């Protein structure tokens, strides 16, 4: 199989990730629940991952909370900053992991910036929206549909100027672009463990620059006499048993990224993106590309998107078609009725993958 759906989850993982998961299952029990060797091994595993993440994302280890996925983290962040009826500004390219929690909360949503690959328009729209003094701002770093890298450094600076706390959805950027809680001075940064960080599914991180409100309540191994959740991080957000095998695998994924270098991984993926875009255009297809683009591209094929993706799948090419859980992004780009076929490259991107994908697509 030629796997070009890394925007959904990275595949295949580095061998060290699988080895770390199996080792944790063999040697670790429950962190914080005992002083015997297997419990202490679990605690050490969890802390090493927390510490490595802090080094990569410019924060303190205690600011790193483990979640089940990026959606879990975004729900915590949104619930920590907003109440029903509050005003929130979002980009025109947000995932349902942002828009659905806002809808469920009954927030008033301002959509800022809907032109693809246009930083000037994005920043002007964001400044106009922030002048309305929303209670919070939520922005994806990279569009999961189109690969548009939003000007998050500048958006963060605007949020600081207007005193609006910022939540960053780093689902498509963590592991492929610099992500920094400190420089952005963000309230929260949420990310999955299973995409660019190369860890197992069922893992995620929430970087906390502000005091969060717990989404789950229960045992933490600390302050057990108290019925309220602990008032300190990370315990405040980590009720119940942590996914220690998953965290061990995530630690291995983070180590791999640190050794290889974020810049080198991005360059390899982006080189294939450019080759893919050129090939799609030679086929005469409508392609969404521009400056400030990560290793993801969407195109409109001749025929139904879902049918084309299914045909590709039968020929061993894994892509994703449809609305990609991001109808707002498709509405912004004018593809809400048709959807797109999305190609997203990962750590093993290479020319043979791209050539074979384009060859098979040309035959459909």
């Amino acid at each position: 199989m030629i796997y070009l759906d890394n925007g959904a989850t990275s595949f295949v993982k580095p061998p060290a990730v699988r080895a770390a998961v199996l080792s944790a299952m063999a040697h670790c029990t429950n962190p914080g629940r005992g002083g015997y060797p297997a419990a202490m091994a679990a605690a050490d595993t969890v802390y090493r991952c927390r510490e490595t993440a802090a080094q990569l994302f410019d924060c303190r280890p205690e600011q790193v909370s483990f979640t089940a996925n990026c959606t879990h983290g975004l729900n915590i962040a949104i619930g920590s900053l907003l109440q029903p009826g509050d005003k929130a500004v979002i980009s025109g390219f947000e995932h349902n992991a942002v828009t659905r929690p806002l809808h469920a909360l009954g927030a008033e949503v301002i959509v800022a910036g809907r032109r693809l690959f246009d930083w000037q328009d994005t920043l002007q729209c964001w400044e106009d929206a922030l002048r309305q003094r929303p209670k919070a701002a939520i922005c994806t770093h990279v569009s999961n549909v189109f690969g548009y890298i939003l000007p998050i450094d500048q958006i963060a600076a605007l949020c600081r100027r207007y005193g609006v706390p910022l939540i960053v959805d780093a689902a498509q950027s963590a592991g492929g672009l610099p992500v920094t809680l400190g420089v952005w001075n963000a309230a929260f940064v949420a990310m999955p463990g299973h995409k660019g960080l190369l860890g197992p599914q069922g893992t995620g991180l929430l970087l906390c620059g502000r005091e969060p409100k717990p989404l789950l309540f229960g045992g933490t191994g600390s302050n057990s006499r108290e019925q309220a959740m602990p008032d300190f991080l990370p315990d405040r957000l980590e009720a119940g048993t942590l996914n220690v095998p998953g965290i061990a695998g995530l630690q291995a994924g983070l180590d791999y990224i640190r050794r290889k270098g974020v810049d080198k991984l991005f360059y390899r993926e982006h080189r294939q993106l450019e080759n893919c875009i050129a090939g799609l255009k030679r086929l005469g297809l409508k392609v969404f590309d521009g400056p400030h683009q990560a290793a993801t591209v969407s195109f409109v094929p001749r025929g139904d998107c879902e049918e084309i993706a299914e045909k590709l799948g039968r020929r061993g090419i894994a892509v994703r078609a449809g609305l990609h859980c991001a109808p707002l992004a498709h509405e912004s780009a004018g593809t809400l009725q048709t959807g797109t076929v999305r190609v997203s490259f990962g750590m093993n991107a290479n020319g043979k993958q791209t050539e074979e994908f384009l060859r098979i697509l040309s035959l459909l």
Side-chain angles (χ1 to χ4, degrees):
M1 178 177 67
I2 293 176
Y3 186 76
L4 300 174
D5 194 21
N6 289 277
T9 192
S10 56
F11 184 81
V12 178
K13 312 291 185 182
V17 172
R18 179 181 177 184
V21 172
L22 294 175
S23 178
M25 293 181 72
H27 299 105
C28 296
T29 58
N30 202 333
R33 270 68 169 183
Y36 51 89
M40 295 305 296
D44 289 344
T45 297
V46 168
Y47 187 75
R48 282 199 306 273
C49 187
R50 209 186 300 276
E51 191 171 43
T52 302
Q55 292 168 357
L56 279 171
F57 304 125
D58 188 25
C59 60
R60 301 187 306 276
E62 62 269 22
Q63 291 178 289
V64 178
S65 293
F66 292 107
T67 60
N69 45 54
C70 189
T71 299
H72 181 190
L74 287 168
N75 273 261
I76 293 171
I78 290 168
S80 297
L81 296 182
L82 292 165
Q83 296 181 357
D86 282 349
K87 191 178 296 185
V89 58
I90 66 174
S91 83
F93 303 97
E94 298 305 317
H95 191 278
N96 279 343
V98 168
T99 59
R100 283 180 171 173
L102 291 172
H103 175 78
L105 189 64
E108 179 184 343
V109 177
I110 306 166
V111 180
R114 308 194 73 164
R115 292 177 60 177
L116 273 171
F117 311 115
D118 188 337
W119 276 18
Q120 183 176 355
D121 176 75
T122 295
L123 290 170
Q124 183 60 62
C125 291
W126 267 86
E127 184 155 19
D128 292 343
L130 290 169
R131 287 194 182 104
Q132 300 181 47
R133 301 294 178 181
K135 285 291 183 69
I138 307 116
C139 187
T140 186
H141 192 178
V142 175
S143 166
N144 74 303
V145 181
F146 302 105
Y148 175 31
I149 304 171
L150 279 78
I152 198 68
D153 290 354
Q154 295 91 326
I155 288 171
L158 286 172
C159 288
R160 292 194 298 272
R161 183 192 306 172
Y162 288 94
V164 178
L166 172 66
I167 300 168
V168 179
D169 176 359
Q172 301 293 325
S173 62
L177 290 169
V179 171
T180 166
L181 181 70
V183 172
W184 294 339
N185 194 27
F188 298 97
V189 179
M191 63 190 73
H194 67 96
K195 296 187 182 184
L197 300 184
L198 307 177
Q201 294 167 333
T203 60
L205 300 173
L206 180 65
L207 314 180
C208 300
R210 295 240 182 151
E211 187 68 27
K213 292 181 181 177
L215 187 65
L216 299 176
F217 298 82
T220 61
S222 59
N223 287 12
S224 293
R225 290 179 180 270
E226 304 294 331
Q227 287 303 289
M229 287 295 288
D231 60 1
F232 53 88
L233 289 170
D235 296 42
R236 184 164 179 78
L237 296 183
E238 294 181 352
T241 298
L242 292 174
N243 177 8
V244 176
I247 291 169
L250 177 55
Q251 163 68 20
L254 294 173
D255 278 342
Y256 180 92
I257 292 165
R258 191 165 55 173
R259 288 195 309 272
K260 294 291 185 179
V262 169
D263 292 344
K264 289 182 179 178
L265 290 169
F266 179 83
Y267 175 77
R268 178 174 185 169
E269 296 167 7
H270 201 267
R271 182 169 55 184
Q272 293 311 313
L273 173 84
E274 292 172 340
N275 294 339
C276 183
I277 288 171
L280 291 170
K281 288 183 175 180
R282 285 195 297 271
L283 294 175
L285 301 174
K286 183 177 182 180
V287 183
F288 294 87
D289 70 305
H292 318 299
Q293 188 165 9
T296 292
V297 61
S298 270
F299 66 95
V300 178
R302 298 184 185 93
D304 181 78
C305 289
E306 301 280 0
E307 290 180 2
I308 293 297
E310 184 179 346
K311 290 178 180 179
L312 287 167
R314 289 201 296 266
R315 290 162 175 81
I317 308 290
V319 296
R320 184 175 174 188
L323 297 182
H324 311 92
C325 298
L328 179 63
H330 282 279
E331 184 180 286
S332 294
T335 54
L336 185 61
Q337 299 306 314
T338 62
T340 61
V341 176
R342 182 188 72 183
V343 177
S344 48
F345 293 93
M347 70 167 193
N348 62 340
N350 61 74
K352 290 184 179 179
Q353 283 184 337
T354 308
E355 290 170 10
E356 184 65 4
F357 160 67
L358 292 169
R359 185 188 70 82
I360 292 177
L361 181 63
S362 70
L363 301 176
L364 301 182

